[in-house]
Amino acid sequence: MHSRPEEELEPLLAVDIGSSKIRLIAGTVEDNSGEVHVLYFQECPSSGVTNGAVSDIDKLSNCLSKMIQDYKDTMDLPFEHCVINIAGSQIASANNDGTSPISTRKVTEVDRINALSVASSYQFAKEHHIIHAIPQYYETDGSREVSNPLGMSSLSLTAHVHLVACNESQENNLRTAFERVSPSIKIDEVLYSGMAAADAVLSQEDKDIGVCLVDLGGGSIDVALYNRGKLIYSFGREDCGVRITRDISTNCGLHMRPAEFIKITRGVAHPDLLENPETVFAIKARSDSDEKLYIKGEDLARNICSSLWDIFGIFNNQVDNFIKQESIDLSLGGGVVFTGGVANTIGIEPLGRSFFENIGKRHVKVRVGVPRGFDVAENVTTDLKSPEYATAIGMLRLAAEIEQNRARARKAMADFKSSNRSITKVLAWIKDWLNREFF
């Protein structure tokens, strides 16, 4: 990952590993604006992933191998580095703070790094390790809620951070799948899907007024909650699109594949949205048989509505419990933003508004979010301005932001060490001169 002009560098590569689809995206990101230039995109049905977790490394590796080879053949470029994502119940989060003394009494980049490092020392459960440490705000001796402490006078600096951790075993399973494709492939970053989707869909203004991003995927729900511009809560849950499909399958007597097909092609979020509720659809009950079942549109809509209502309750209850436990005064001016493949369900916005009105939250706005701030090369034929592509596009932007921050930190530490070496050399010269002149 670099920050040179687009024509001089190989594109960033991200592999969005979902339970229903795997997507490979390549592009560059403007340093200042965050504009994403998509140079390559492909997707295929997912294999070896269930509910956001690896269920068969061999199947996943075979799927990745074909995609990576297609990329190399099409772009005539190597596939040596990439970022990947992790989602659902493999995620844990916490808020923490850490304080570092300021020796020069003026906050430098090194002091900021030290404070963030102390704040990142939080201990998650044994099987989890930290993949993101997101600054929320800083405190100096005289000021709270500082967004940029550099250059401020203080004896100490406190960093408040939001930490996201992932299940290390699941991360290792993902890495193993890539190693089986080629041992030379390096995974540069493991990104939380919910944060990537939020970076694709939300503006800073959305985050400033408070917003709850809900990424509704095939096998997981991923949530990123922002309050007054700060990421304060992240979590994921199993099931989502597959839950809806399973409910249709169970209640209508269909195999999963035809249930998925009728959900996507005929499904709506509420019976009231149907022009003719009495319409009957004929569909093969099983993939291996010509036997047909006849399903009323109203019954299909009721199944989808019921499943979505339950899904809304799952993430809303978890957010409410967090707010109560932490006694947070939540400002949610941006409301709830749905993205991900399930957000394409016709009528999901009015159903979401109805849900929040039903539980006494009439002020909560609901909308579907699509990726913003990107363009595509002529060879990219997929219309990426759709909710299901939010995570893939956001992964490129988030990866570029992380690399910029790391490059700035590396430079600050190098300058600090160089400065210390210069001081050490001067002191050694003075000591040598004193020894020669006076002893």
Side-chain angles (χ1 to χ4, degrees):
M1 290 178 283
H2 313 276
S3 55
R4 295 174 292 167
E6 178 177 322
E7 62 272 14
E8 294 183 15
L9 61 100
E10 291 180 4
L12 293 169
L13 286 157
V15 183
D16 173 12
I17 302 171
S19 298
S20 59
K21 293 287 179 68
I22 295 178
R23 300 179 171 105
L24 194 161
I25 188 169
T28 59
V29 182
E30 297 286 344
D31 285 351
N32 297 323
S33 66
E35 186 81 8
V36 177
H37 306 294
V38 180
L39 305 176
Y40 177 88
F41 179 84
Q42 68 162 308
E43 63 181 343
C44 70
S46 186
S47 184
V49 181
T50 305
N51 291 336
V54 177
S55 55
D56 189 320
I57 290 178
D58 288 338
K59 286 184 178 179
L60 175 57
S61 183
N62 289 338
C63 184
L64 292 171
S65 180
K66 293 174 185 175
M67 297 188 81
I68 289 170
Q69 191 59 52
D70 285 346
Y71 168 80
K72 293 195 298 190
D73 291 344
T74 303
M75 298 293 285
D76 194 24
L77 288 170
F79 191 103
E80 297 172 342
H81 295 259
C82 71
V83 298
I84 61 174
N85 61 326
I86 198 161
S89 60
Q90 312 307 319
I91 290 296
S93 75
N95 298 312
N96 200 34
D97 58 73
T99 302
S100 176
I102 310 299
S103 57
T104 61
R105 298 202 173 190
K106 281 213 169 166
V107 179
T108 66
E109 180 67 17
V110 172
D111 298 319
R112 193 183 73 87
I113 292 169
N114 288 339
L116 289 172
S117 179
V118 175
S120 301
S121 62
Y122 182 89
Q123 293 296 311
F124 283 91
K126 185 172 61 175
E127 68 274 11
H128 284 75
H129 76 116
I130 294 170
I131 56 174
H132 298 295
I134 313 301
Q136 295 173 319
Y137 63 95
Y138 301 89
E139 290 183 58
T140 61
D141 292 346
S143 303
R144 286 179 55 85
E145 299 281 330
V146 174
S147 59
N148 181 9
L150 299 183
M152 298 183 74
S153 296
S154 187
L155 293 174
S156 65
L157 178 68
T158 298
H160 294 258
V161 300
H162 180 71
L163 303 171
V164 181
C166 77
N167 184 295
E168 195 164 4
S169 294
Q170 283 302 319
E171 178 184 334
N172 290 338
N173 290 338
L174 291 170
R175 290 182 181 275
T176 299
F178 280 88
E179 287 170 4
R180 292 190 181 180
V181 176
S182 171
S184 64
I185 295 176
K186 185 185 177 206
I187 307 298
D188 292 325
E189 304 287 348
V190 178
L191 309 174
Y192 169 45
S193 294
M195 276 182 58
D199 269 22
V201 168
L202 304 177
S203 67
Q204 186 57 48
E205 288 80 6
D206 291 327
K207 297 174 183 178
D208 287 341
I209 63 174
V211 64
C212 183
L213 187 283
V214 184
D215 184 9
L216 300 167
S220 66
I221 307 167
D222 294 291
V223 177
L225 180 64
Y226 293 84
N227 189 39
R228 297 182 174 87
K230 308 172 190 69
L231 179 59
I232 62 169
Y233 192 35
S234 304
F235 67 90
R237 298 290 295 267
E238 291 184 356
D239 279 347
C240 192
V242 71
R243 176 189 181 131
I244 302 171
T245 304
R246 192 181 297 117
D247 288 347
I248 295 170
S249 172
T250 301
N251 296 330
C252 298
L254 297 172
H255 278 191
M256 288 290 284
R257 187 173 295 178
E260 176 74 10
F261 176 79
I262 197 171
K263 177 186 77 173
I264 293 172
T265 59
R266 302 292 188 176
V268 298
H270 197 280
D272 290 350
L273 298 169
L274 295 169
E275 289 186 12
N276 184 2
E278 298 302 315
T279 298
V280 175
F281 307 119
I283 187 168
K284 290 202 299 185
R286 302 182 338 202
S287 304
D288 58 354
S289 168
D290 290 332
E291 177 194 351
K292 289 187 177 181
L293 282 180
Y294 297 90
I295 298 172
K296 189 188 291 189
E298 183 178 18
D299 293 336
L300 177 63
R302 288 192 189 283
N303 272 284
I304 294 172
C305 178
S306 176
S307 300
L308 283 172
W309 199 271
D310 290 343
I311 289 168
F312 296 164
I314 288 169
F315 75 76
N316 179 72
N317 290 342
Q318 191 154 340
V319 169
D320 278 353
N321 289 338
F322 170 77
I323 298 303
K324 290 173 184 174
Q325 288 172 6
E326 301 297 321
S327 300
I328 291 172
D329 180 18
L330 180 64
S331 171
L332 211 60
V336 174
V337 177
F338 294 136
T339 196
V342 175
N344 280 321
T345 306
I346 296 170
I348 196 170
E349 285 181 341
L351 183 67
R353 286 192 288 270
S354 176
F355 171 83
F356 287 107
E357 287 175 4
N358 185 69
I359 61 174
K361 296 182 177 180
R362 287 181 169 78
H363 61 285
V364 175
K365 306 178 187 70
V366 176
R367 67 179 174 90
V368 170
V370 298
R372 61 184 182 83
F374 74 95
D375 57 42
V376 300
E378 289 183 2
N379 62 296
V380 178
T381 57
T382 305
D383 182 6
L384 298 180
K385 199 163 188 180
S386 184
E388 68 261 40
Y389 304 119
T391 297
I393 290 173
M395 287 173 71
L396 292 181
R397 186 176 288 136
L398 183 55
E401 180 185 344
I402 289 172
E403 177 54 25
Q404 287 176 16
N405 291 338
R406 286 198 170 151
R408 185 167 58 246
R410 284 194 296 267
K411 183 179 184 305
M413 294 303 293
D415 291 346
F416 176 72
K417 289 177 181 177
S418 176
S419 174
N420 280 355
R421 279 196 296 270
S422 298
I423 293 170
T424 300
K425 287 179 181 178
V426 170
L427 292 175
W429 181 86
I430 293 172
K431 182 179 179 181
D432 183 60
W433 179 78
L434 288 172
N435 284 334
R436 284 187 284 105
E437 293 294 324
F438 297 102
F439 299 100

